């Protein structure tokens, strides 16, 4: 079993997240790609984060019908601040013999040294870095790495939160099921 883990805040989930998961699954021959929704992203504690349940619901809706991609509650159910090292350890214990891949964008790869217990992570997973075709490889000393090519999609949750707040439509950048939840639950409204 080859399992990919694409962790994030997903506040909100967008098409680049989905396509990164799809591309990693194809490039690395993964059986499953788990979108682990962070419970409490301690590195983003300086801003207001949408509730974990709302973010999980958006991810689950966005991945519905996408082969091999699944929303995972593992970090929400564990509770407390989210450390990817705990997630990978839990997955390794739950799936003995599985090969684990930690899927990250280049922004996250550049930041990995600030994460908790990076040495444990290095021991449990191959780092799959999603980057644009032909981009120079990000040097990651000590890591087993794999590259996943994907065109640069310059979309971020940060921009999407602002746009929804301004009343701009985000269809096409956010999968339809997630757009529906944003409207129904009034997420990212400026007054909300
Ligand atoms: P924010 O703007 O709030 O930081 P984000 O759009 O960067 O949100 P995250 O939840 O922080 O989304 O990212 C989850 C994962 O998805 C990370 O590994 C990140 O590198 C990757 N990712 C985010 N946006 C893109 C993108 N446009 N292309 C490729 N990977 C992306
Ligand atoms: Mg980010």
């Amino acid at each position: 079993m080859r399992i990919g883990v694409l962790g994030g805040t997903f506040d909100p989930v967008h098409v680049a997240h989905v396509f990164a998961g799809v591309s990693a699954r194809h490039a690395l021959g993964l059986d499953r790609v788990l979108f682990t929704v962070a419970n409490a992203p301690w590195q983003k504690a300086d801003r207001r984060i949408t509730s974990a349940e709302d973010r999980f619901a958006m991810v689950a809706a966005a991945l519905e019908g996408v082969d091999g991609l699944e929303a995972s509650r593992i970090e929400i159910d564990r509770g407390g601040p989210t450390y990817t090292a705990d997630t990978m350890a839990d997955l390794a214990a739950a799936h003995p013999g599985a090969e684990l891949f930690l899927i990250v964008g280049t922004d996250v790869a550049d930041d990995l040294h600030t994460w908790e217990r990076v040495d444990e992570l290095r021991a449990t997973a191959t780092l799959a870095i999603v980057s644009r075709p032909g981009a120079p490889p990000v040097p990651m000393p000590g890591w087993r790495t794999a590259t996943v090519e994907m065109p640069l999609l310059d979309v971020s949750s940060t921009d999407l939160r602002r746009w929804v707040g301004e009343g701009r439509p985000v269809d096409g950048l956010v999968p339809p099921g997630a757009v529906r939840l944003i409207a129904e639950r009034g997420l990212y409204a400026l007054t909300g």
Side-chain angles (χ1 to χ4, degrees):
M1 178 92 117
R2 291 163 70 82
I3 302 176
V5 174
L6 201 163
T9 310
F10 305 114
D11 192 12
V13 64
H14 54 64
V15 291
H17 295 136
V18 179
F19 195 60
V22 167
S23 302
R25 179 165 185 251
H26 177 78
L28 306 173
L30 305 177
D31 299 292
R32 308 165 68 185
V33 175
L34 308 179
F35 278 50
T36 53
V37 178
N39 184 57
W42 55 280
Q43 289 192 321
K44 293 185 177 178
D46 52 323
R47 69 167 180 86
R48 202 175 129 234
I49 311 281
T50 304
S51 80
E53 291 301 340
D54 283 338
R55 290 181 289 109
F56 177 83
M58 289 190 280
V59 173
L63 299 184
E64 212 182 302
V66 184
D67 239 19
L69 272 49
E70 309 163 37
S72 166
R73 298 187 57 90
I74 188 168
E75 295 178 344
I76 299 173
D77 292 345
R78 191 170 63 235
T82 298
Y83 300 111
T84 306
D86 293 330
T87 303
M88 298 315 263
D90 288 350
L91 288 171
H95 304 281
E99 200 171 341
L100 299 176
F101 295 81
L102 180 61
I103 304 164
V104 297
T106 48
D107 58 319
V108 170
D110 286 339
D111 262 21
L112 265 189
H113 60 278
T114 68
W115 287 20
E116 292 283 316
R117 295 165 19 231
V118 170
D119 40 322
E120 274 178 46
L121 271 179
R122 256 197 299 260
T124 44
T126 298
L127 189 67
I129 304 175
V130 178
S131 49
R132 66 201 299 185
V138 184
M140 298 296 302
W143 284 90
R144 255 170 298 122
T145 58
T147 303
V148 175
E149 288 193 345
M150 167 179 138
L152 181 68
L153 297 177
D154 193 4
V155 42
S156 71
S157 301
T158 300
D159 287 341
L160 290 162
R161 288 191 297 275
R162 194 181 69 247
W163 291 346
V164 174
E166 293 168 0
R168 285 174 63 169
V170 294
D171 306 87
L173 291 183
V174 174
V179 171
R180 214 170 301 126
L181 284 169
I182 290 171
E184 281 169 13
R185 301 185 182 188
L187 306 178
Y188 313 114
L190 276 185
T191 50

